[in-house]
Amino acid sequence: MKFIEKLPQYSAALILASAFILMPNAASAVAAGGCDSYTPNTASGSSQTVACNSSITPVATAGVISTQNTTTVGNNVTVNIANGTSLIIDGSTIGIGSNANISNHGNLNTSSFYYGYGMSSGANGRSQAGGNTFVNESNGTIYTGGGYAAGMYVSATNASSAANSLTNDGRIQTDGTGAAGIRLVSGATTSTVVNSIVNSGTIITNGSAAHGIQVSGVGAVTIENTGTITTNGANSFGIYSAGKISTLTNSQGGSNPLTFSGVMPTNYNAAIASPTVYGKLDASNGTVTGVMNFAIANGSTVSATTYSTVLSGIKVNNLGNSYGNVTIGGTQYQWALVHRINGSADQTDLVLSTVVQPTLVALEETLATQSYLIAPIEYDTQVALSSMGTALQGLFAMQSAGVINGMSYDCSLFRANNVCVSAGGRFTNVSAYPYNNSSALIIGGYRLSNNIRIGGYLDQNLSQSTPGGIAQLNNGSPMVGVFGVWSQNPDGTGAEAKLSAGYANKGATLTRPVVGVSEAGSGSTSLTSQGVLGLLKYGFGLGNKTVVSPYAGMRYLVGGMGGYSEGQSSTVSSPLSYNAINNYTTTVLAGVSGVHKLSEKTSLLASAGVEKDTNTNVGNLVTTGNGYFNIAMNNNYRTTRPTASLGVFHDLSINERIGISAIYRQEAYQALTSTTVMATYTVGL
């Protein structure tokens, strides 16, 4: 009895009453009634040819279906469907094992059967060895009316699977959710195994998530579309790739471009026949990943002109190149993928010229005279953003160093009014890069009692420099902070506790550096850093000139960058948007500080310590919009870092003091170091 192809989840077959006659010659057999309800049952290593002709009367009850759930039989089968033959059944029409050769000149119709396949190999537990050749000839038609069906379906998931060749020269139509015109799953891991899909006919799908050509798996596949693929359903695309398309060649364009979603092909060739007939690839409604290299297909007929909208919806991070030279018909052309100035970044045009510019700069200048900007590409933009990330690391380090050092500010010289005022200047440099920051500061303190003092400070930037013109910082807002100190003894011996907090916010204009064809996108944001510090120390007097104080404490610091978007301009066609960068660290501190009197009026201060991050979050530089990039900001991040300071102060009088000090810190980002020098004049009132 004949077993009809069933849904994958069905375990039992429906036994039909139609019988079949197996010819004695296993190498060549013809089913009774011309393929009606015929089961090829080839053993491993043998082959069989099945001829389907127009003698099926009145209607076929089943197609050519090999035994399910076995990998040893039903392989090496050749099926030829003659012109005029119709297999119209409620089930799959041709379903066999691996190494199949199917040629269809007739009409394959699976009716409304779910998971109905016009022609398939490897489905329902059959061999996954691949090696199939499927052809829907120019006079062949395939129709499926059920959900999750496919006109052609090959499942070859083995790592050792052979290459498959699927060709549609005729017409394939599917009506149903998830139904594909051609579906290929390849697990081949051998680099020499390359599957091939060619469509020179017509593929039409009607239904949501019903794709014209659908590929998945790790096996490489080339796709050539010189026909027409039309999809009529939500989330349906001419090509949907969850696999590895090595090369896609396409001539479909006009008002019905080839739509695409999924993993971009490694190489894309636009076939050009004339200034009005050429391939267009539209990913504007899809979700795409990966990087694609563009080229003009061999055999194209081109002119020195502009081909509008050859690409749609291809983001910066999906394009691997955007200009080059090509020789066609003995003429050398220079080509460039371009965006129109102040036009949509989703539309990419192709400009060809017989005048080959000698440099990229010359090409960009020539395109500008035509109101075009060359399309930025993934590699150049990635390098530019990496440089920008490095610059931001330095900015974060400089700002956090200011806040951390600010939380060490104090004012402890008091007289009768219990007031202390200190004014001075600060200079901070972050190593390896020219990050310099100069500021004026004022610190005020008030003595509540002999043991308790409180205070605050303002630290106003006067000038600063950053590398490469990447950042311009606004000096409008000063860094602010407060502190409170309890000390057991006025001379620094005994116990002391300090609690302090600081806050800094700076407006910043950030501009990406230009690398190759990347763009100098620019936008405004703010950089913030704020923290709180708790510190305990105990001073031991050594003689009457020296006090040594071991200390320990904890600090919490949070900061980063606000999200922002670049602006489009006459020089920026693909502005990027940036997510906020949020950083925070919880740090424990330990070390020792000391004060030594050099004379009655002059004292030397020094400290050395270590800090250890116990909880850290370092945000990445992430862009969205016209291009998705994710730049790591925690390269070589160090959680354990040394600190040291050295200073001297001199009493001018009983209520006046001058001082100078230097603070060295190893910063977390990229093992940067910061050095801060401060000079102050303090008055006790």
Side-chain angles (χ1 to χ4, degrees):
M1 302 299 291
K2 172 64 183 175
F3 290 87
I4 286 186
E5 185 87 327
K6 296 306 297 175
L7 294 172
Q9 64 267 35
Y10 285 3
S11 59
L14 178 62
I15 303 178
L16 299 180
S18 56
F20 64 88
I21 301 174
L22 183 62
M23 300 296 289
N25 183 359
S28 179
V30 179
C35 293
D36 181 10
S37 189
Y38 184 70
T39 302
N41 197 30
T42 55
S44 178
S46 62
S47 62
Q48 189 172 18
T49 298
V50 180
C52 301
N53 54 54
S54 59
S55 64
I56 302 175
T57 303
V59 177
T61 55
V64 180
I65 304 295
S66 297
T67 305
Q68 299 181 23
N69 299 311
T70 176
T71 62
T72 59
V73 298
N75 306 319
N76 307 301
V77 175
T78 297
V79 180
N80 297 314
I81 301 99
N83 185 21
T85 302
S86 289
L87 292 176
I88 304 174
I89 64 173
D90 187 20
S92 296
T93 49
I94 310 293
I96 46 185
S98 60
N99 290 301
N101 290 275
I102 304 175
S103 174
N104 175 44
H105 291 269
N107 174 30
L108 305 180
N109 188 323
T110 69
S111 302
S112 59
F113 196 73
Y114 262 52
Y115 296 95
Y117 307 130
M119 54 179 73
S120 70
S121 168
N124 296 300
R126 300 184 180 95
S127 171
Q128 301 289 306
N132 304 283
T133 300
F134 288 2
V135 181
N136 187 40
E137 306 287 355
S138 60
N139 55 350
T141 62
I142 302 175
Y143 174 81
T144 69
Y148 308 102
M152 295 182 182
Y153 174 46
V154 169
S155 178
T157 60
N158 295 342
S160 59
S161 293
N164 302 276
S165 174
L166 289 75
T167 301
N168 174 49
D169 289 330
R171 177 184 175 90
I172 297 175
Q173 180 174 333
T174 68
D175 294 330
T177 299
I182 297 175
R183 182 181 296 131
L184 169 66
V185 183
S186 174
T189 57
T190 304
S191 60
T192 56
V193 174
V194 180
N195 300 279
S196 171
I197 298 176
V198 176
N199 175 53
S200 58
T202 300
I203 298 175
I204 300 174
T205 69
N206 300 296
S208 61
H211 311 299
I213 296 175
Q214 181 176 353
V215 298
S216 59
V218 299
V221 56
T222 64
I223 300 177
E224 181 179 355
N225 176 44
T226 58
T228 302
I229 303 175
T230 303
T231 59
N232 303 298
N235 298 314
S236 297
F237 301 93
I239 295 178
Y240 179 82
S241 173
K244 182 182 179 182
I245 302 176
S246 56
T247 302
L248 168 60
T249 301
N250 173 51
S251 65
Q252 181 177 338
S255 61
N256 184 28
L258 178 64
T259 58
F260 189 94
S261 185
V263 182
M264 298 297 295
T266 303
N267 301 291
Y268 173 72
N269 299 324
I272 300 173
S274 73
T276 57
V277 179
Y278 53 89
K280 296 181 179 180
L281 187 67
D282 184 0
S284 56
N285 292 320
T287 301
V288 296
T289 61
V291 179
M292 178 185 80
N293 295 308
F294 180 90
I296 298 171
N298 293 332
S300 292
T301 301
V302 302
S303 303
T305 188
T306 297
Y307 299 86
S308 177
T309 324
V310 293
L311 302 176
S312 296
I314 305 298
K315 308 297 185 182
V316 175
N317 55 291
N318 301 129
L319 195 57
N321 63 340
S322 59
Y323 69 98
N325 298 329
V326 62
T327 299
I328 298 176
T331 302
Q332 186 178 38
Y333 295 87
Q334 187 169 58
W335 63 267
L337 296 174
V338 298
H339 297 149
R340 186 165 291 278
I341 291 177
N342 293 319
S344 172
D346 277 348
Q347 176 180 327
T348 304
D349 299 341
L350 172 66
V351 175
L352 265 69
S353 173
T354 54
V355 179
V356 178
Q357 301 298 330
T359 64
L360 173 59
V361 172
L363 175 59
E364 289 176 320
E365 291 175 348
T366 299
L367 292 171
T369 64
Q370 304 171 49
S371 297
Y372 286 123
L373 296 172
I374 194 165
I377 64 173
E378 188 272 344
Y379 175 78
D380 292 344
T381 306
Q382 179 89 17
V383 173
L385 287 171
S386 295
S387 296
M388 187 173 173
T390 299
L392 283 172
Q393 289 176 336
L395 291 174
F396 293 157
M398 184 167 65
Q399 187 151 293
S400 63
V403 170
I404 292 171
N405 292 336
M407 289 189 290
S408 69
Y409 292 171
D410 200 352
C411 201
S412 58
L413 184 62
F414 299 99
R415 300 305 295 164
N417 293 319
N418 297 316
V419 173
C420 174
V421 178
S422 181
R426 174 178 65 87
F427 175 81
T428 297
N429 170 261
V430 176
S431 69
Y433 308 99
Y435 293 92
N436 297 319
N437 179 292
S438 298
S439 63
L441 60 92
I442 184 167
I443 308 169
Y446 183 77
R447 183 171 59 184
L448 298 175
S449 69
N450 287 336
N451 305 103
I452 300 175
R453 63 184 180 271
I454 59 174
Y457 64 86
L458 296 174
D459 187 312
Q460 175 62 54
N461 282 161
L462 300 177
S463 66
Q464 52 209 331
S465 64
T466 58
I470 290 175
Q472 293 180 339
L473 302 180
N474 187 336
N475 292 326
S477 301
M479 182 172 66
V480 298
V482 294
F483 60 85
V485 180
W486 173 87
S487 57
Q488 185 176 2
N489 300 308
D491 63 358
T493 60
E496 181 176 289
K498 182 178 182 180
L499 184 65
S500 59
Y503 173 82
N505 179 280
K506 283 194 172 301
T509 298
L510 302 177
T511 302
R512 282 186 279 143
V514 174
V515 177
V517 297
S518 73
E519 297 180 325
S522 182
S524 296
T525 184
S526 61
L527 308 177
T528 61
S529 186
Q530 54 189 321
V532 60
L533 169 70
L535 194 68
L536 298 174
K537 67 179 181 178
Y538 194 93
F540 297 92
L542 302 179
N544 58 359
K545 290 186 177 182
T546 305
V547 176
V548 176
S549 304
Y551 68 83
M554 180 169 287
R555 180 180 70 233
Y556 179 74
L557 192 70
V558 59
M561 179 190 80
Y564 72 97
S565 295
E566 298 172 344
Q568 191 172 36
S569 69
S570 61
T571 58
V572 178
S573 66
S574 301
L576 301 177
S577 295
Y578 296 80
N579 293 350
I581 298 176
N582 298 307
N583 307 318
Y584 61 79
T585 56
T586 301
T587 307
V588 294
L589 320 170
V592 62
S593 63
V595 180
H596 176 72
K597 285 188 175 183
L598 298 175
S599 67
E600 285 298 317
K601 293 187 176 184
T602 304
S603 297
L604 182 69
L605 300 86
S607 72
V610 65
E611 53 187 46
K612 169 70 175 179
D613 293 340
T614 59
N615 187 25
T616 302
N617 177 78
V618 180
N620 286 355
L621 179 65
V622 178
T623 73
T624 57
N626 287 316
Y628 174 81
F629 295 89
N630 192 328
I631 308 299
M633 297 282 284
N634 60 349
N635 296 333
N636 300 321
Y637 189 90
R638 293 194 177 182
T639 59
T640 303
R641 304 174 296 273
T643 63
S645 67
L646 182 66
V648 62
F649 66 84
H650 177 75
D651 292 330
L652 299 175
S653 67
I654 195 172
N655 65 336
E656 293 179 282
R657 176 178 296 167
I658 58 172
I660 186 169
S661 61
I663 302 173
Y664 168 85
R665 292 175 41 77
Q666 186 174 78
E667 301 295 336
Y669 284 110
Q670 297 260 356
L672 300 175
T673 62
S674 66
T675 303
T676 298
V677 178
M678 293 187 296
T680 56
Y681 170 74
T682 305
V683 177
L685 304 174

